[in-house]
Amino acid sequence: MTTPVHPQTRIGHVHLKVADLDRAIAFYSGVLGFDVQTRIGDEAAFLGAGGYHHHIGLNTWSSKGGTPPPSGHTGLFHTAFLYPNRAELADAVQRVIDAGYPLEGASDHGVSEAVYLTDPDGNGVELYRDRPQSDWPRNPDGSLAMYTRRLDLAALLSEAS
């Protein structure tokens, strides 16, 4: 690497191929709460939070009626949605549970707390919150000492509004 990327660079949005646009909107808007900003017939929709043009793009251009890729193939592992604090993460996880979607994991990574599930098209979804950088675990040399431990889901959910 010659020059690192600018430190304010962020991933702006994710665009997913889906089999059924209405079903995908029902999950990302109806369950997770993103607002539909623009819809293009039954082919595409763009959803965002806080009035942003889109954090999530959904389309059926080459995937209408399709099936998820088989296990063992390359592709998207998961899309991660960062919540501003623990209470907002708890609220999001409670929405998922209330909608009947099964959780597949809940982990404490030291730097963050994360809950994992799969969307209706088989795409992995991570809902998480970061801890303040001053609380991140570090090795004696200052490098990150991330780990994966069981997240106390009941304690997290107790913070849902």
Side-chain angles (χ1 to χ4, degrees):
M1 179 172 67
T2 57
T3 305
V5 67
H6 190 280
Q8 291 179 340
T9 302
R10 301 285 182 264
I11 295 173
H13 68 270
V14 62
H15 200 123
L16 301 172
K17 296 185 289 184
V18 299
D20 181 311
L21 187 61
D22 289 329
R23 181 181 70 186
I25 291 171
F27 177 76
Y28 287 100
S29 180
V31 176
L32 294 186
F34 287 89
D35 294 319
V36 176
Q37 301 296 330
T38 302
R39 183 171 176 153
I40 303 169
D42 64 352
E43 294 184 343
F46 299 90
L47 294 80
Y52 189 66
H53 57 80
H54 75 289
H55 291 100
I56 308 163
L58 306 167
N59 78 68
T60 60
W61 299 324
S62 64
S63 56
K64 189 170 190 164
T67 59
S71 182
H73 286 72
T74 59
L76 178 70
F77 185 70
H78 66 236
T79 300
F81 296 96
L82 175 61
Y83 290 85
N85 55 53
R86 198 164 200 257
E88 293 299 328
L89 172 60
D91 182 65
V93 173
Q94 190 63 60
R95 288 171 179 248
V96 168
I97 291 169
D98 291 348
Y101 285 89
L103 303 180
E104 296 173 0
S107 298
D108 178 346
H109 296 298
V111 297
S112 64
E113 294 178 307
V115 175
Y116 302 93
L117 62 141
T118 300
D119 81 359
D121 286 288
N123 296 307
V125 174
E126 175 184 349
L127 308 176
Y128 78 106
R129 70 104 183 182
D130 278 338
R131 287 191 169 94
Q133 284 190 17
S134 60
D135 295 340
W136 290 359
R138 299 212 175 257
N139 293 311
D141 68 358
S143 63
L144 284 177
M146 291 175 60
Y147 51 76
T148 299
R149 297 180 183 152
R150 187 182 77 73
L151 176 64
D152 184 342
L153 196 55
L156 173 67
L157 291 172
S158 73
E159 296 194 29
S161 55

